[in-house]
Amino acid sequence: MSTGGTGQDGANTPGAGAPSAEARADIHGQGKGLVQLITPSGERVSHPEFDPWVQDVTDEQLCSLFEDMTVVRRIDVEATALQRQGELALWPPLLGQEAAQVGSGRSLRADDFVFSSYRENGVAYCRGVDLTDIIRVWRGNASSGWDPYSINMATPQIIIGAQTLHATGYAMGIQNDGADSAAVTYFGDGATSEGDVNEAMVFAASFQVPVVFFCTNNHWAISEPVRLQSHIQLADRAAGFGIPSLRVDGNDVLAVMAATRVALDRARRGGGPTFIEAVSYRMGPHTTADDPTRYRDANELEDWAAKDPISRVEALLDRKGLLTAALKQQVKDRADAVAREMRTGCTTMPEPQPLDVFKHVYSTPNSWLDRQQDHYTRYLASFGDPAEAVSEEGAR
Amino acid sequence: MTQMTFARAINAGLRKSLENDPKVILLGEDIGALGGVFRITDGLQKDFGKHRVVDTPLAESAIVGTAVGLAYRGYRPVVEIQFDGFIYPAFDQIVSQVAKLHYRTRGAVKMPITIRVPFGGGIGSPEHHSESPEAYFTHTSGLRVVTVSNPQDAHTVIQQAISCDDPVLYFEPKRRYHDKGEVDESVDPNSAVPMDRASVLTEGADLTLVAYGPLVKTARDAALAAADEGISIEVIDLRSLAPVDYDTVVASVRKTGRLVVTHEAGQSGGIGAEVAASITERCFYYLEAAPVRVTGFDIPYPYSKLEMHHLPGLDRILDGVDRALGRPNSLSGLEG
């Protein structure tokens, strides 16, 4: 990657308008560049400031994180296959971003609330989403998959960056309620160019609300590289808003977990917002409609494949003697089961009914819409079999 | 009953909503210590605190976007857009988020957000301070759009808007803020006429004149002037622009056979076009003449020395009445 002048792993020096000394002291790793706890070859490296935040992660939990990431990758691969087979209209792959999503997702409490983009299906998995709900939208059967309150995660946002304001507003509510939960918003490197993300950071800093800005820098906004979005490291942007930031290896599940815990802890203690830049890479296309070979170098992909988030944990587990045949089988079985469940849920999903188009536009009656629904009901009824009307219309 | 200005009536309505529901929260630029540039929120921060009446940084998209998050959390945000022309930076949050989240989530998430917009001209302001952007929002499903034309409605409808589970754009005619009227503060908004009903202000036999917001007063004045010439005009205050209460307008036009619609906003794609088309569909055989629109021109809002040419006044409305009645008028002799 090239992010211009400062370089990828250069010193993360706060510039003008940087957080106060207290705020800096409160943020571990400030000024120390990319935080990494597991190297790409699977070596656990010590980091005096961040180690304490993950010292409670047991071997069993490490195995569990490995399983989560493997399952999330399988969900992604299966959904991509479903799209290729014509079962889904579109799918936004997260291949390569499993550590960023699982590491952060597994750091959240049930009463935290997530506002994400459309790519955080791994986070949704960690929140306990119904597997069929993940693909409901992409099959075209609904505008959203799940009830946000069932897993405390808003339905994915397609307008780039709009959700960062929703998270900030939600965090204002948390603050008003005197609660100790947090709002977490996920967005990509491209979103940092949007006005809404910048306005969200202004509001979050002004009101010092408990929100975590989790930016997954996957290096590409469709075909536009991150260097087109920013001449400085994305994490450094936060300083201009008075928001402390962390820059972590987004392919390192432990580093992501540590950073998210730091930010959440800060939010819960009334310390205000934190910006996390998780440096990762989108291994696949932006969506299944995209062709990355038109805009990016194969060598780049190869470089990042060597930093794969799952293989490094696998190597770590192997070094620790934990990568047993039993574990491998267990993880495979789980991934198979999840994939099967999602595929079955996809192919057996009930078709929506014609009059469903009128449902939930308003929560109270609207005379215009009631009239249009009444007229369309009569129109459908004139066919005897409403399915006939739909197929005729669809044929044109 | 108390005599109060339009502005005071909205203030009193906001106060009641703040008192009655702890989840009501006001957000906007300068609405705290200053009480808003029009003083609509005067004294509310002092009485309800900075967490209920929130002075925000200057960012319209954020004002509306954070209201979305607050609504997710169970609050009922009331946001103030300082001037009509400043609503455009918030357009995306209003039409893509506020309007659609209930539909998108299949009813799971409610967006009981009220967006207050001082709108319209006639006060000699510079650019961006006198616009009538209501049609942008009536075109967006999921939003309700209301206007008020008198202090009593201003007081009652703001409370109805806040308690409505749908998002409501509440357009306030800023040139009427200082007009006084009788307000019965004891009116229960739940039993008052719902905000989506039009009201027949004066009954008449010869022509239906539809207006809303700032032009309701002008329309009533026009009806009085016409009465001097023996023309009986039924004046309807539309009140709700989305949905429009067509039943009330239809009943009137079936009686009078003629329709004039007036508004400050430009003509093309405006509310007048919508009302004229819908009434033509529903009342074609009752109409004695084509519906007539008397509106602002399709121009950027002009500088203040010329704004009175753009804004429909009493005489332009009466000229439109003459056109609908087939009487001599400024366009007599023109075809098409």
Side-chain angles (χ1 to χ4, degrees), chain A residues 157-273:
Chain A
Q157 178 58 246
I158 289 178
I159 300 286
I160 302 298
Q163 74 277 13
T164 58
L165 284 171
H166 306 165
T168 302
Y170 191 93
M172 288 162 69
I174 293 173
Q175 188 182 57
N176 260 12
D177 295 342
D180 73 343
S181 55
V184 183
T185 180
Y186 289 86
F187 52 100
D189 42 295
T192 61
S193 298
E194 290 278 3
D196 277 359
V197 176
N198 290 272
E199 292 190 19
M201 288 200 274
V202 169
F203 270 50
S206 292
F207 299 121
Q208 288 293 297
V209 293
V211 59
V212 178
F213 293 98
F214 193 101
C215 174
T216 305
N217 175 2
N218 72 11
H219 287 76
W220 291 94
I222 307 189
S223 71
E224 304 199 335
V226 69
R227 64 177 172 273
L228 187 65
Q229 313 285 341
S230 181
H231 276 259
I232 60 168
Q233 290 180 353
L234 298 178
D236 286 348
R237 286 193 166 183
F241 297 94
I243 297 176
S245 65
L246 296 164
R247 190 158 182 271
V248 298
D249 184 337
N251 284 8
D252 173 347
V253 71
L254 277 188
V256 171
M257 184 171 258
T260 311
R261 285 172 164 190
V262 167
L264 286 170
D265 176 65
R266 194 163 177 278
R268 298 193 205 295
R269 288 189 291 108

Side-chain angles (χ1 to χ4, degrees), chain B residues 7-69:
Chain B
R8 201 71 208 163
I10 302 172
N11 178 280
L14 289 169
R15 178 175 290 277
K16 280 205 163 183
S17 294
L18 284 160
E19 279 168 357
N20 293 339
D21 186 349
K23 291 296 183 188
V24 172
I25 182 167
L26 274 50
L27 304 158
E29 298 162 8
D30 306 306
I31 67 169
L34 182 67
V37 291
F38 292 107
R39 311 289 184 268
I40 305 300
T41 53
D42 191 26
L44 297 178
Q45 189 182 67
K46 183 172 141 291
D47 294 342
F48 294 93
K50 290 185 175 177
H51 291 290
R52 301 286 307 281
V53 181
V54 183
D55 263 328
T56 66
L58 275 71
E60 283 76 13
S61 187
I63 293 170
V64 176
T66 53
V68 169

Side-chain angles (χ1 to χ4, degrees), chain A residues 16-36:
Chain A
S20 65
E22 292 88 327
R24 275 205 305 276
D26 196 31
I27 279 297
H28 305 257
Q30 186 82 34
K32 290 195 169 57
L34 199 71
V35 176
Q36 189 178 69

